[in-house]
């Protein structure tokens, strides 16, 4: 266990120099205070969880203090936003403080979001509000607990600094951790600004530090791109299987590591709705729930375009062709497991599709359905669940096929089935209204609800005593909360 001043830095990205990032100091928040910290994320830095409660912790992550070895940098990148290319973006309100390596030899970027203006702030104020910082914190840690690759969050620091959005709010900072903060948009920036030397340097950097095994392949860059395609296919399959809607899948928000990244107006589905649009500003539904799958491929094509100086177009196309089949295989595998199946049959895909259609038509709660399906033997579970469906006859037909399929799957005990299904079907997910309740209390200075919700979501598959209220369908007010990009 380390104290805060014992972290070991090795700032590899900063060393790439001024063509890649700009030195900027964090702008401190007034009266910084700890809102919430993640012990699991603290462990990634070998930090003693007790240090979160010390005043110096809030000073460090509220922008007042810096380690001598930290080198705060704002990164430059660009990206396709809602399908159109924006030539220059960059860290407009976040700073890469430095890279820390832990006792296991892993490197973690320390990125402070909400740290003030940078050369890339454009029209923005460089700040993040408490509301959006809490949402990012909870989402990163909740996704990780569900087994969905994501950036992590160490803490949220609140303050008394006023920040204007639609109304006056308070500034906050979230300390984000990831093995890298390099995005698809980094490659696009150097490609479209026609800086081949820097682009080659960036590609070498990513290959050496994040895809070293691809060095062994005959075409290392192509192997790296294939791996990125595979990781994205798997990540998006997990989003779809668990009902996660990212909301702003611009290429500047896509991590080169295939992890969920840059949380804005995201949501987990309550009722199953394939057409759900979580971003209030996404009028055309470009990033609707079901569109996430083709958009994943669109984004990879944008990255492929930026990699044409290193890889032939034919090879890039071939690699892109892997995306959909890989996505489908991962998705089907996860959905089979969610249904409690251990074997594969051709008709399983249809079984899943029919179920989702029935759920869509009746507005069935996506998370609770699967959890309850595993509570009891299949034949009994479906008789209890049928009341949730408007088209009961349709559900009965499905249920008959499902129970027959379960019988063919294998002969296992009720306990085995429950344990296996509960291990993949969460009881607790980050519903918008739960986040909203925690935010409302935090805005009044009461952080107990954020902390409790974080605790509950860190063990989503485990039924926790006294936490029934976190495993309910949302109340009516909580179903249609409007979440916009203004964070
Ligand atoms: P996002 O939609 O959060 O991914 O942000 C898109 C771009 O806008 C990024 O370059 C951000 O750094 C920048 N940005 C977002 N909000 C702010 C803000 N309040 N101040 C400065 N830049 C911002
Ligand atoms: Mg972003």
């Amino acid at each position: 266990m380390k104290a805060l001043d014992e972290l070991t830095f090795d700032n590899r990205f900063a060393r790439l120099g001024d063509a890649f990032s700009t030195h900027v100091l964090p702008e401190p928040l007034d009266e910084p205070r700890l809102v919430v910290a993640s012990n699991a994320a603290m462990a990634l830095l070998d930090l003693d969880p007790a240090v979160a409660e010390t005043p110096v912790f809030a000073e460090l992550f509220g922008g007042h203090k810096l380690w001598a070895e930290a080198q705060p940098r704002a990164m430059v990148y660009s990206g396709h936003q809602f399908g159109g290319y924006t030539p220059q973006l960059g860290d407009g309100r976040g700073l890469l403080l430095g890279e820390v390596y832990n006792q296991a030899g892993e490197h973690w970027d320390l990125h402070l979001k909400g740290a003030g203006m940078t050369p890339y702030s454009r029209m923005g104020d460089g700040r993040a509000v408490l509301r959006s910082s809490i949402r990012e914190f909870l989402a990163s840690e909740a996704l990780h607990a569900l087994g969905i690759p994501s950036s992590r969050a160490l803490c949220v620091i609140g303050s008394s600094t006023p920040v204007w959005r639609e109304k006056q709010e308070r500034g906050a900072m979230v300390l984000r951790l990831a093995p890298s903060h390099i995005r698809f948009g980094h490659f696009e920036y150097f490609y479209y600004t026609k800086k081949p030397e820097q682009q080659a340097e960036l590609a070498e950097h990513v290959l050496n530090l994040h895809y070293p095994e691809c060095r062994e392949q005959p075409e290392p860059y192509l192997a790296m791109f294939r791996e990125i395609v595979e990781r994205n296919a798997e990540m998006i399959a997990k989003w779809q299987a668990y009902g996660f809607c990212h909301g702003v899948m611009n290429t500047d928000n896509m991590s080169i590591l295939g992890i969920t990244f840059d949380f804005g107006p995201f949501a987990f589905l309550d009722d199953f709705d394939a057409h759900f649009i979580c971003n209030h500003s996404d009028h055309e539904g470009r990033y609707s729930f079901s569109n996430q799958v083709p958009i994943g491929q669109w984004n990879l094509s944008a990255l492929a375009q930026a990699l044409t100086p290193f890889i032939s177009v034919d090879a890039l196309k071939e690699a892109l062709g892997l995306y959909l089949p890989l996505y489908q295989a991962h998705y089907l595998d996860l959905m089979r497991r969610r249904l409690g199946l251990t074997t594969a049959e051709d008709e399983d895909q249809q079984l899943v599709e029919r179920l989702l259609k029935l759920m869509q038509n009746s507005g069935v709660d996506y998370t609770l359905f699967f959890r309850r399906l595993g509570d009891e033997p299949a034949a009994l579970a479906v008789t209890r669940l049928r009341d949730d469906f408007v088209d009961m006859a349709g559900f009965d037909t499905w249920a008959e096929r499902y129970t027959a399929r379960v019988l063919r799957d294998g002969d296992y005990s009720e306990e085995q089935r429950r344990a296996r299904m509960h291990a993949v079907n969460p009881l607790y997910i980050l519903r918008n209204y739960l986040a909203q309740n925690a935010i409302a209390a935090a805005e009044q200075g009461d952080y107990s609800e954020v902390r409790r919700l974080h605790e509950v979501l860190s063990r989503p598959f485990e039924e926790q005593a006294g936490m029934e209220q976190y495993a309910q369908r949302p109340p009516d007010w909580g179903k249609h909360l409007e979440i916009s990009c203004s964070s």
Side-chain angles (χ1 to χ4, degrees):
M1 288 289 188
K2 287 184 178 171
L4 275 167
D5 56 2
E6 290 171 333
L7 296 182
T8 319
F9 284 81
D10 180 14
N11 305 321
R12 305 172 302 181
F13 191 87
R15 287 202 289 275
L16 289 175
D18 292 342
F20 297 85
S21 62
T22 308
H23 173 78
V24 182
L25 287 174
E27 209 179 301
L29 290 172
D30 302 328
E31 304 180 83
R33 67 209 66 165
L34 177 72
V35 174
V36 60
S38 161
N39 287 354
M42 301 275 281
L44 299 173
L45 305 181
D46 307 318
L47 283 174
D48 179 348
V51 305
E53 304 294 340
T54 60
V56 66
F57 188 86
E59 284 166 5
L60 274 168
F61 300 118
H64 287 258
K65 282 203 167 133
L66 262 187
W67 295 265
E69 305 92 321
Q71 286 175 288
R73 311 283 299 189
M75 299 167 119
V76 62
Y77 51 82
S78 62
H80 281 84
Q81 298 184 302
F82 289 89
Y85 185 64
T86 306
Q88 192 186 296
L89 292 160
D91 290 333
R93 56 165 165 174
L95 295 173
L96 181 59
L97 295 181
E99 296 167 57
V100 165
Y101 62 94
N102 65 16
Q103 277 154 4
E106 298 162 339
H107 275 72
W108 289 97
D109 279 6
L110 266 53
H111 178 101
L112 193 59
K113 190 165 177 177
M117 303 253 270
T118 78
Y120 314 109
S121 297
R122 300 186 295 163
M123 311 299 282
D125 58 4
R127 290 304 189 194
V129 294
L130 182 62
R131 163 177 56 86
S132 66
S133 304
I134 288 175
R135 281 173 51 85
E136 169 140 6
F137 175 90
L138 291 172
S140 344
E141 293 303 283
L143 281 173
H144 172 74
L146 286 171
I148 303 178
S150 173
S151 59
R152 303 292 302 276
L154 188 78
C155 63
V156 175
I157 303 298
S159 79
S160 59
T161 303
V163 174
W164 285 92
R165 291 297 179 258
E166 277 100 23
K167 57 181 173 48
Q168 185 184 293
E169 301 191 39
R170 299 289 167 190
M173 294 189 191
V174 58
L175 194 284
R176 179 164 68 192
L177 298 174
S180 168
H181 276 68
I182 298 175
R183 308 144 190 262
F184 289 12
H186 276 86
F187 283 94
E188 294 181 283
Y189 176 75
F190 292 106
Y191 174 72
Y192 289 106
T193 52
K194 301 196 170 56
K195 292 182 179 154
E197 278 165 32
Q198 277 99 357
Q199 207 197 5
E201 224 180 313
L202 179 71
E204 276 298 288
H205 179 90
V206 174
L207 184 67
N208 287 335
L209 301 188
H210 304 295
Y211 293 96
E213 65 290 349
C214 295
R215 274 248 166 265
E216 318 301 318
Q217 300 292 319
E219 287 189 67
Y221 288 135
L222 175 59
M224 177 169 82
F225 181 65
R226 270 207 205 104
E227 179 72 24
I228 295 170
V229 170
E230 285 180 25
R231 289 193 194 186
N232 272 270
E234 185 167 354
M235 172 187 75
I236 294 173
K238 289 184 175 173
W239 290 0
Q240 302 309 113
Y242 285 104
F244 177 76
C245 202
H246 181 283
V248 198
M249 287 175 73
N250 294 335
T251 55
D252 51 298
N253 292 337
M254 302 304 291
S255 154
I256 206 73
L257 299 179
I259 59 178
T260 315
F261 198 61
D262 255 19
F263 296 88
F266 69 85
F268 277 90
L269 298 182
D270 290 308
D271 296 353
F272 182 79
D273 179 5
H275 315 299
F276 184 69
I277 302 166
C278 63
N279 181 355
H280 184 55
S281 327
D282 181 6
H283 304 294
E284 276 153 35
R286 179 180 172 88
Y287 300 136
S288 73
F289 180 65
S290 58
N291 266 3
Q292 297 191 123
V293 181
I295 287 291
Q297 180 152 15
W298 194 97
N299 287 341
L300 287 162
S301 315
L303 175 63
Q305 180 65 44
L307 294 176
T308 48
F310 310 114
I311 308 167
S312 77
V313 170
D314 285 345
L316 284 166
K317 279 189 179 156
E318 202 182 306
L320 279 172
L322 299 170
Y323 171 81
L324 258 189
L326 279 170
Y327 163 79
Q328 273 155 350
H330 279 299
Y331 176 72
L332 194 55
D333 177 57
L334 279 165
M335 295 307 285
R336 278 197 185 102
R337 290 165 59 190
R338 296 205 73 178
L339 286 170
L341 302 173
T342 59
T343 59
E345 283 187 14
D346 287 343
E347 69 155 307
D348 293 344
Q349 181 161 349
Q350 221 185 45
L351 199 65
V352 171
E353 282 166 6
R354 295 219 170 144
L355 173 64
L356 294 184
K357 193 154 270 169
L358 287 160
M359 290 174 95
Q360 168 99 34
N361 292 342
S362 298
V364 173
D365 189 272
Y366 188 54
T367 301
L368 292 178
F369 176 87
F370 285 98
R371 184 71 182 193
R372 292 193 186 133
L373 191 64
D375 277 343
E376 292 164 312
L380 192 57
V382 291
T383 58
R384 286 196 214 276
L385 285 163
R386 91 189 272 272
D387 288 347
D388 292 344
F389 290 82
V390 179
D391 177 8
M392 284 191 180
F395 181 72
D396 289 344
T397 308
W398 181 85
E400 214 169 287
R401 279 180 65 178
Y402 172 66
T403 44
R405 175 70 183 86
V406 168
L407 280 178
R408 289 197 302 280
D409 191 60
D411 187 14
Y412 25 73
S413 71
E414 193 181 329
E415 288 74 36
Q416 281 172 325
R417 172 181 153 88
R418 186 186 301 121
R420 200 177 57 235
M421 288 185 71
H422 283 2
V424 291
N425 292 321
L427 183 56
Y428 312 104
I429 53 154
L430 180 55
R431 297 175 188 272
N432 256 340
Y433 91 96
L434 293 174
Q436 196 48 49
N437 282 340
I439 288 164
E443 285 177 339
Q444 300 304 313
D446 174 3
Y447 306 137
S448 58
E449 184 58 22
V450 182
R451 294 178 186 190
R452 196 173 319 118
L453 182 56
H454 164 60
E455 268 303 306
V456 171
L457 295 172
S458 67
R459 288 178 290 137
F461 301 106
E462 223 176 282
E463 189 162 350
Q464 298 166 43
M467 297 299 165
E468 296 78 14
Q469 73 271 30
Y470 296 99
Q472 309 288 331
R473 301 189 66 168
D476 278 341
W477 68 263
K479 273 195 171 178
H480 305 289
L481 296 171
E482 287 182 353
I483 310 288
S484 75
C485 266
S486 110
S487 56

